[in-house]
Structure formats: structure tokens, C-alpha cells
Amino acid sequence: MENWNFKIKKRPKEIIEKLKSELNSIGGFVFDEKKPTTFSFRKRILYPFYMVFQNWTIINGKLLNDNVDNDTNVEISFNQHFLIRLIIYIHIIFGLGLVFGLFLTTKNYIFGGLIIALGIVLWIAANRKFKKDTEKYKTLISEILDL
């Protein structure tokens, strides 16, 4: 999870409307407006085989209005999608289980080691992609909101 905070001289409703209109024109985004001062969006995955290529980052935002200066404090958090974390944890836990099975039999340690290695490689690749996607979204949001 990574947080990003900044201040902008617009009302919260204007910010949400601008984000919605710009992201809908790009296409492929799911935008969720839970309350008037919060928003969430992510890139939608259309087909299961797109999971590797699509964005696994979920953006949650909170808008805090400052009535004195008519400024809005924007707090945005970037999170990895639950499913990618689940896939990584399953690989590592399953591999550890097979390695611990070494104590019962001596046949599973190579297979368990390979699964752990795959989980670690997936973890490193997912973290790199998350950092890259976070930078892409920061650039996109900066362009949309004219920061």
C-alpha cells in the first residue's frame, strides 16, 4: 500500500466529476463513488487471460474540504488487488507445506522448493508491476487534475 497526499484549489464534487469524465473517456475503468467525499477506481479485467496484462492496482481516494481557503486535501492510497496477493501467498504456503513434507517423505522437497521459488518470483514481479502502475496512475491523476 502506498499513500499520496496533495492539496488542490477545487471543490470535492468538481474533482470527482473531472476524474469520472476523464477516466470514462479513456475506457476500461470501474469507478465507485461510495460517499460524496470518497472515490475508488481500478482497471477492469474483461477476460481471465487478461489477468497477467491488466492492472492489479486499486485506487482509493478521500477528499477533505477546507472551508476557509476553498481548498481540498486529497488523500489517495494505492493497493494491490486481493487476488494477486492471494495467488502469491498460496504459492508460498503450498510450497512450504511441501517442503515440511520432507520430514515425512523425501520425495516432495524439490517440488516444494520449485513452488516456493515460483511464489517468490511472482512476489517480486507483482511488486515491480505495482510500483510501475502506481507511478502511471500518479502521472494520470496529475494530468487530469492539472497538478
Side-chain angles (χ1 to χ4, degrees):
M1 184 168 129
E2 185 176 326
N3 294 322
W4 184 37
N5 301 322
F6 57 90
K7 192 178 252 190
I8 190 167
K9 290 191 179 273
K10 291 183 182 178
R11 295 276 203 207
K13 190 171 185 174
E14 295 171 6
I15 293 170
I16 289 177
E17 287 175 3
K18 188 156 185 164
L19 282 172
K20 279 171 101 173
S21 66
E22 291 291 328
L23 292 174
N24 285 336
S25 68
I26 293 172
F29 284 95
V30 177
F31 201 94
D32 182 23
E33 188 177 344
K34 299 171 188 153
K35 297 178 188 173
T37 59
T38 62
F39 62 90
S40 175
F41 64 90
R42 64 180 171 86
K43 187 109 175 163
R44 184 173 49 155
I45 298 172
L46 298 175
Y47 305 107
F49 54 86
Y50 278 5
M51 286 184 190
V52 176
F53 306 111
Q54 291 294 329
N55 193 333
W56 284 86
T57 306
I58 299 173
I59 296 92
N60 295 313
K62 188 174 184 181
L63 306 172
L64 304 169
N65 193 9
D66 184 9
N67 292 330
V68 177
D69 296 331
N70 284 334
D71 289 344
T72 302
N73 291 325
V74 181
E75 298 175 1
I76 297 177
S77 66
F78 301 92
N79 299 315
Q80 276 187 328
H81 197 280
F82 169 74
L83 290 177
I84 192 68
R85 288 186 283 162
L86 182 67
I87 290 169
I88 292 168
Y89 294 145
I90 285 174
H91 274 85
I92 292 174
I93 290 170
F94 185 65
L96 285 173
L98 288 175
V99 168
F100 289 135
L102 170 68
F103 296 114
L104 300 175
T105 71
T106 59
K107 298 177 184 174
N108 292 332
Y109 68 93
I110 293 175
F111 186 63
L114 289 174
I115 291 178
I116 290 173
L118 179 63
I120 291 170
V121 167
L122 284 172
W123 179 46
I124 292 169
N127 282 337
R128 284 183 183 168
K129 183 159 176 40
F130 176 70
K131 287 178 184 176
K132 187 173 74 171
D133 289 343
T134 301
E135 290 302 318
K136 259 188 348 188
Y137 275 126
K138 283 182 179 181
T139 304
L140 179 66
I141 292 170
S142 296
E143 290 174 0
I144 290 173
L145 296 178
D146 300 325
L147 297 179

